[in-house]
Amino acid sequence: MAVTRDALWLAMIALAVLSTFGLRGLSRRRTQQRMVSERSLSALLDDVGAYVYIKDLDLRYRYVNRKVVEWFGRPVDSILGLRDQDFFDSATAEHLRSTDERVLQQGQRITVEEQNRQQAGQLPRTFLSVKQPLRDQQGRIHGLCGISTDITDLKLSEQKIRHLAVHDSLTGLPNRTLLLDRIHQAFQHFGRSRSDGALLFIDLDHFKLLNDTMGHAKGDLLLKQVAARLGRCLRQDDTLARLGGDEFVLLAENLGRDFADVTVGVKVLAERLRHELCAEPMELDGEQYFASASIGVALMSYVSGGTSASPADELLKRADMAMYEAKAAGRNQVKCFDPSMQRALHRRAELEFLIQEGLRLGQFQLAYQPVVDENGGVLGAEALARWPHPEKGAIAPGEFIAAAETSGQILALGAWILRAACAQLAAWGRSVDTRELTLSVNISARQVHQYDFVEQVAEVLRQSGADPRRLELELTESVFAHDFEIVSEKMRSLQRIGVRFSLDDFGTGYSSLTYLKRLPFHQIKIDQSFVRDLLHDENDAAIIRAVLILGESLGLEVVAEGVETAAHFQALRHLGGRRFQGYLFGRPGRAEEVRRTAVPVP
Ligand code: C2E
Ligand code: MG
Ligand code: MG
């Protein structure tokens, strides 16, 4: 392909020698010595790997080396004396003629890139050509010599590299770099036309879970199919990009000038994308998978005119925020950016930082709330995370657990909680007064879905010396949204070493009987919302009764949560309740208080 720089220089020198001594007056001044040097120079030029030629003032070929002969595919005799228009298509010939004339007129060497095509319709080949005027002994220009290197392959790989640098290799879509560039251009266009544009941030739901459980190959397949489906919804002015992972972004331009119209239009577009993904299952190598995505939308008109240094980054950030809102609202939804999201996001980011620090500095604690029988006798306790922050005061578990769940910090926090709880359980096991107590620990879905969840629990139990039969893990129904079989297998593994399971917040989710029948639960906890209104709401009373009967028939313990008053307690007992938890018997507090908190039964 390309010849080295040395070879080019050698050829240049050889050409200069040839043009000074040879070719034109070859026969007259021929000597033995010159014959040798001309032959070897000619041979040298044939081997040089570049296209070497000499043209006269008429731009007729006077010398061509072997490469040129091969490329033109004619014997050398039928090349010499002809011009470029005899070999190339008209556009190429015209271009060659004009550069050649420049060399002859200006009398200077030039370097040009040429796209040469022998026939119209052919793919052109790209050459890097050095052209130099030839002078006789009086210094008059009598022609030119050229050396052209075929750089077609080089150009192609350069193009490929450039393409790869701004495209995602899996889906072929533009990547973040190209997207940011397009957004930048879109803002410039918007500045002139005032026709609004929007950014749609599309994040697949539960993609990590799919990747972890079905493998990366299937994950890749899904991403490709998602790219294809989203691609179906594009208009001419739209750019679809993949930012990495399961994040796709659609830049839609030229949506119009009327704010209300644009807002409606972009929502319709976002809903169409959302629907396109979830309407039909994806086919992943023979397996069906129902995908969905959370979509956040931000309009360009919101960002421009602001003080942001980089409107492209700002727009992306806002669409991302809106996407997070869509996730938080339960996934598979579309949300549009509004300024309150920014405040919430700041708070979230701050909280994530504080959690990190809290874990490092050991700021988290566990509080223990007793669970009692129908006589108020303490059976055990539920461990509840507490965070008395030294500067911010107590931060509610509802807040920090949710933040830790979205950020993934729940894995570290949950591991700490489990260790602390098991240490307490082991301590109770060493005293006669407390060794019968059970301890319930809340476990988040993300913890259970870790591939080594079973080993982690077993290891904590082993290290702490706690009795597995006294440990209860409280799960909520969200755990079973995916990978039912895998979760079920994990539960059975832990059940075999004695650990028991409790279904928390029963009544607030799907409350599917399937879970209860097919999974090894030994306990249900009736959500406190039913207990709260038990005395006034007949429906709640009916539900509680039904759950108690259900528990009885399936052989499950039923705990009523949120028992605050003696009236609740009595009503629950009347309905058949036998296990209770609530402020009436004790607020979450220190472990030492657990066995002393039982209230006399009213
Ligand atoms: P949960 O597991 O249903 O916990 C029961 C919640 O009810 C606790 O709130 C408890 O303090 C509260 N409670 C107990 N008795 C009464 C009562 O008589 N009246 C009223 N109104 N409330 C009562 P808390 O501690 O704020 O926890 C809220 C939720 O946060 C928990 O609900 C649980 O889902 C989560 N959580 C708490 N600690 C942990 C933990 O260590 N790990 C995980 N993954 N989640 C936790
Ligand atoms: Mg609980
Ligand atoms: Mg609960």
Side-chain angles (χ1 to χ4, degrees), residues 382-384 440-442 474 504-505 525 561 581:
E382 174 175 2
L384 292 158
S440 306
V441 181
N442 294 285
E474 292 192 9
D504 203 359
D505 302 342
K525 294 185 93 165
E561 288 190 276
Q581 185 181 344

Side-chain angles (χ1 to χ4, degrees), residues 450-464:
Q450 295 172 98
Y451 73 96
D452 63 345
F453 175 67
V454 173
E455 290 73 22
Q456 280 185 37
V457 176
E459 181 61 17
V460 171
L461 280 167
R462 200 185 55 77
Q463 278 184 2
S464 62

Side-chain angles (χ1 to χ4, degrees), residues 46 51 60-61 63-89 93 117-119:
D46 278 342
Y51 299 76
R60 291 180 192 281
Y61 283 97
Y63 165 81
V64 289
N65 76 341
R66 188 160 60 209
K67 279 291 256 189
V68 179
V69 172
E70 281 167 10
W71 194 38
F72 286 172
R74 304 188 197 180
V76 79
D77 289 346
S78 54
I79 296 175
L80 298 182
L82 297 184
R83 291 189 280 208
D84 282 323
Q85 64 224 47
D86 302 310
F87 304 104
F88 294 103
D89 79 339
R117 185 177 4 224
Q118 294 196 19
Q119 279 155 30

Side-chain angles (χ1 to χ4, degrees), residues 3-120:
V3 293
T4 66
R5 189 173 286 214
D6 285 351
L8 271 177
W9 278 116
L10 216 61
M12 264 305 184
I13 293 165
L15 265 175
V17 174
L18 267 178
S19 69
T20 312
F21 298 109
L23 293 171
R24 299 190 115 196
L26 206 66
S27 50
R28 273 181 280 127
R29 285 182 268 138
R30 185 176 292 163
T31 66
Q32 202 62 17
Q33 178 58 30
R34 279 181 184 152
M35 279 282 289
V36 172
S37 79
E38 277 157 15
R39 278 220 188 110
S40 52
L41 283 174
S42 203
L44 177 70
L45 290 178
D46 278 342
D47 282 345
V48 93
Y51 299 76
V52 184
Y53 46 88
I54 289 177
K55 293 175 184 172
D56 61 18
L57 287 174
D58 248 1
L59 299 180
R60 291 180 192 281
Y61 283 97
R62 286 297 157 202
Y63 165 81
V64 289
N65 76 341
R66 188 160 60 209
K67 279 291 256 189
V68 179
V69 172
E70 281 167 10
W71 194 38
F72 286 172
R74 304 188 197 180
V76 79
D77 289 346
S78 54
I79 296 175
L80 298 182
L82 297 184
R83 291 189 280 208
D84 282 323
Q85 64 224 47
D86 302 310
F87 304 104
F88 294 103
D89 79 339
S90 55
T92 304
E94 176 50 32
H95 179 75
L96 291 173
R97 191 190 57 75
S98 84
T99 46
D100 287 354
E101 278 181 352
R102 235 167 72 211
V103 176
L104 296 178
Q105 277 158 18
Q106 296 174 355
Q108 276 173 356
R109 180 199 303 186
I110 62 167
T111 305
V112 282
E113 206 175 285
E114 295 168 336
Q115 299 273 324
N116 297 348
R117 185 177 4 224
Q118 294 196 19
Q119 279 155 30

Side-chain angles (χ1 to χ4, degrees), residues 83-377:
R83 291 189 280 208
D84 282 323
Q85 64 224 47
D86 302 310
F87 304 104
F88 294 103
D89 79 339
S90 55
T92 304
E94 176 50 32
H95 179 75
L96 291 173
R97 191 190 57 75
S98 84
T99 46
D100 287 354
E101 278 181 352
R102 235 167 72 211
V103 176
L104 296 178
Q105 277 158 18
Q106 296 174 355
Q108 276 173 356
R109 180 199 303 186
I110 62 167
T111 305
V112 282
E113 206 175 285
E114 295 168 336
Q115 299 273 324
N116 297 348
R117 185 177 4 224
Q118 294 196 19
Q119 279 155 30
Q122 233 175 23
L123 276 180
R125 297 199 71 80
T126 310
F127 293 88
L128 184 66
S129 299
V130 183
K131 298 184 176 184
Q132 165 159 317
L134 295 175
R135 296 173 196 272
D136 61 18
Q137 268 150 346
Q138 282 75 45
R140 284 187 303 247
I141 294 175
H142 62 77
L144 65 87
C145 72
I147 302 178
S148 300
T149 315
D150 189 337
I151 56 167
T152 311
D153 292 346
L154 201 70
K155 279 271 146 186
L156 282 179
S157 37
E158 198 178 283
Q159 259 170 29
K160 211 180 206 166
I161 290 167
R162 216 174 304 138
H163 183 88
L164 281 179
V166 292
H167 287 83
D168 158 46
S169 56
L170 181 71
T171 59
L173 294 176
N175 67 8
R176 184 184 209 99
T177 312
L178 186 54
L179 175 73
L180 282 173
D181 195 50
R182 296 260 169 95
I183 301 177
H184 188 71
Q185 285 171 20
F187 269 112
Q188 286 179 341
H189 175 74
F190 173 62
R192 290 189 301 270
S193 69
R194 303 314 295 170
S195 175
D196 211 345
L199 204 68
L200 288 81
F201 203 113
I202 306 153
D203 190 289
L204 298 185
D205 297 329
H206 304 297
F207 179 71
K208 199 182 148 352
L209 215 58
L210 167 98
N211 240 349
D212 291 351
T213 54
M214 290 170 83
H216 289 254
K218 294 243 165 90
D220 284 356
L221 267 182
L222 177 68
L223 292 173
K224 282 193 202 166
Q225 288 187 32
V226 167
R229 285 206 194 176
L230 293 175
R232 284 188 215 156
C233 308
L234 299 193
R235 301 165 317 147
Q236 180 137 34
D237 285 347
D238 297 343
T239 302
L240 177 66
R242 179 173 167 236
L243 292 195
D246 58 340
E247 294 173 347
F248 293 83
V249 169
L250 179 74
L251 170 67
E253 290 184 69
N254 273 325
L255 297 173
R257 294 177 177 214
D258 183 278
F259 183 74
D261 283 355
V262 171
T263 315
V264 172
V266 78
K267 273 191 188 146
V268 170
L269 170 64
E271 280 299 339
R272 207 167 68 231
L273 295 172
R274 191 186 66 74
H275 187 256
E276 186 70 38
L277 292 182
C278 68
E280 300 270 320
M282 304 276 181
E283 202 63 49
L284 303 183
D285 216 3
E287 266 178 89
Q288 287 202 331
Y289 177 80
F290 281 88
S292 69
S294 303
I295 302 181
V297 179
L299 295 186
M300 288 174 64
S301 50
Y302 265 155
V303 176
S304 75
T307 51
S308 158
S310 163
D313 285 331
E314 190 61 34
L315 186 66
L316 204 54
K317 209 167 92 196
R318 292 184 179 197
D320 186 33
M321 267 181 221
M323 184 278 291
Y324 262 95
E325 283 296 305
K327 290 257 181 216
R331 298 182 162 88
N332 196 13
Q333 312 205 5
V334 173
K335 289 275 176 203
C336 292
F337 173 83
D338 81 76
S340 69
M341 291 180 184
Q342 195 131 22
R343 289 190 291 277
L345 208 84
H346 275 148
R347 170 93 181 129
R348 200 27 84 82
E350 186 197 11
L351 206 54
E352 274 175 31
F353 170 75
L354 290 177
I355 292 173
Q356 185 83 24
E357 210 180 43
L359 278 168
R360 191 167 54 84
L361 300 175
Q363 289 171 347
F364 291 96
Q365 298 175 358
L366 286 183
Y368 299 86
Q369 184 178 37
V371 177
V372 303
D373 62 20
E374 63 263 48
N375 304 312

Side-chain angles (χ1 to χ4, degrees), residues 550-591:
L550 182 77
E552 181 114 13
S553 61
L554 291 173
L556 300 169
E557 288 176 1
V558 178
V559 177
E561 288 190 276
V563 185
E564 294 185 359
T565 64
H568 283 148
F569 184 38
Q570 238 151 19
L572 284 163
R573 274 199 304 188
H574 183 70
L575 289 172
R578 299 180 54 202
R579 276 157 216 272
F580 313 88
Q581 185 181 344
Y583 294 165
L584 178 64
F585 314 102
R587 294 189 174 246
R590 295 188 314 134

